[in-house]
Amino acid sequence: MLGSIVLFGPPGAGKGTQATRIVELTGKPQVSTGDMLRAAVVAGTELGVEAKGYMDAGELVPDQVIIGLIKERLKEPDATSGVLFDGFPRTIPQAEALASITDVSAVISIEVPDEDIVGRIVGRRMDPETGDIYHISFKPPPPEIEDRLVQRKDDTEETVRNRLDAYHEQTEPLGSWYRSRGLLTPVDGSGTIAEVGDAVASAVIGL
Ligand code: AP5
């Protein structure tokens, strides 16, 4: 049986956008550490207060905090047949911790060159009511909801550069770690949202 799937890739690669398609195909719940941390920041919990400084600076939240969060999430009843991880794991210690608590069947790596990332991130807008992700040019929102859309605080050009540095230094080596275990499926993420969606769907159907 198919266990958990990891969606891997740089910030702004389209992990959140394509997660919706994988959830439809597999029925597995999406577990996004970024969404969980942002919810904790809004709720003002101890976790949110600790995570906020790292997130605003575009740095990774410490491994032990993230691993604790995931261990709790995987105790929920909807996680028993595996989940779709979005934005986790992001370091080798996180991947090692994950391997000790659940079975990862596949890692889908959405590959996008750095030069495409900044434009994608700076133009991103989120719908706070539905969580839907839009882009001012590549996925324009319906005019009737434009006024309620928000921009993430870490979606500035300066913070994106830090997030890309963190990705290359701490997260990218994890791609080789999963490749050496025969789990990595690379997908070209440089096309349109629909083209990348089709490539991701083919990868998932082939698992
Ligand atoms: P997180 O929320 O996980 O952010 P991220 O990894 O930087 O990824 P994004 O959400 O920015 O991008 P995405 O790949 O989901 O792209 P999207 O689909 O939205 O993490 C935020 C912070 O939390 C981190 O910096 C860190 O501090 C902390 N954190 C989270 N997890 C952690 C962990 N495990 N360990 C430690 N710290 C952690 O698409 C982006 C935009 O592009 C959208 O506007 C979309 O419409 C558009 N788009 C998507 N695909 C395409 C396409 N093919 N063509 C054109 N536009 C496209």
Side-chain angles (χ1 to χ4, degrees):
M1 195 183 75
L2 194 62
S4 289
I5 299 172
V6 171
L7 252 184
F8 183 78
K15 302 183 294 294
T17 300
Q18 302 302 343
T20 314
R21 188 103 180 242
I22 303 180
V23 168
E24 280 168 15
L25 282 169
T26 64
K28 294 186 188 297
Q30 177 186 2
V31 173
S32 158
T33 39
D35 287 348
M36 292 162 86
L37 292 169
R38 278 184 290 278
V41 170
V42 170
T45 63
E46 200 179 320
L47 165 70
V49 171
E50 181 177 0
K52 188 176 185 309
Y54 295 102
M55 297 172 78
D56 287 350
E59 294 167 7
L60 294 188
V61 174
D63 285 338
Q64 287 319 311
V65 174
I66 297 290
I67 292 165
L69 190 66
I70 287 293
K71 279 186 175 162
E72 285 306 306
R73 178 62 183 87
L74 293 183
K75 288 179 189 164
E76 298 290 324
D78 67 342
T80 48
S81 302
V83 304
L84 172 65
F85 290 109
D86 163 7
F88 173 88
R90 261 170 145 102
T91 64
I92 290 173
Q94 289 182 18
E96 287 171 341
L98 182 62
S100 72
I101 49 177
T102 194
D103 172 41
V104 172
S105 295
V107 177
I108 296 178
S109 171
I110 304 182
E111 310 204 332
V112 180
D114 282 8
E115 56 266 30
D116 291 354
I117 295 291
V118 178
R120 286 193 189 185
I121 292 226
V122 172
R124 171 168 48 193
R125 299 292 182 271
M126 315 288 292
D127 183 345
E129 285 185 19
T130 61
D132 289 345
I133 306 166
Y134 294 96
H135 189 283
I136 51 173
S137 307
F138 305 132
K139 191 182 176 191
E144 62 273 18
I145 66 161
E146 258 174 19
D147 288 348
R148 71 171 189 235
L149 299 186
V150 294
Q151 187 169 22
R152 265 170 53 178
K153 198 167 177 225
D154 58 346
D155 277 355
T156 63
E157 193 161 341
E158 188 195 350
T159 308
V160 174
R161 303 268 171 218
N162 292 343
R163 286 160 64 192
L164 272 173
D165 287 347
Y167 172 75
H168 288 304
E169 284 165 27
Q170 293 166 273
T171 305
E172 207 169 18
L174 194 52
S176 310
W177 193 88
Y178 275 126
R179 188 180 302 110
S180 69
R181 285 158 178 76
L183 291 172
L184 197 79
T185 302
V187 168
D188 179 3
S190 62
T192 63
I193 293 175
E195 286 166 347
V196 177
D198 288 346
V200 166
S202 298
V204 171
I205 291 162
L207 292 176

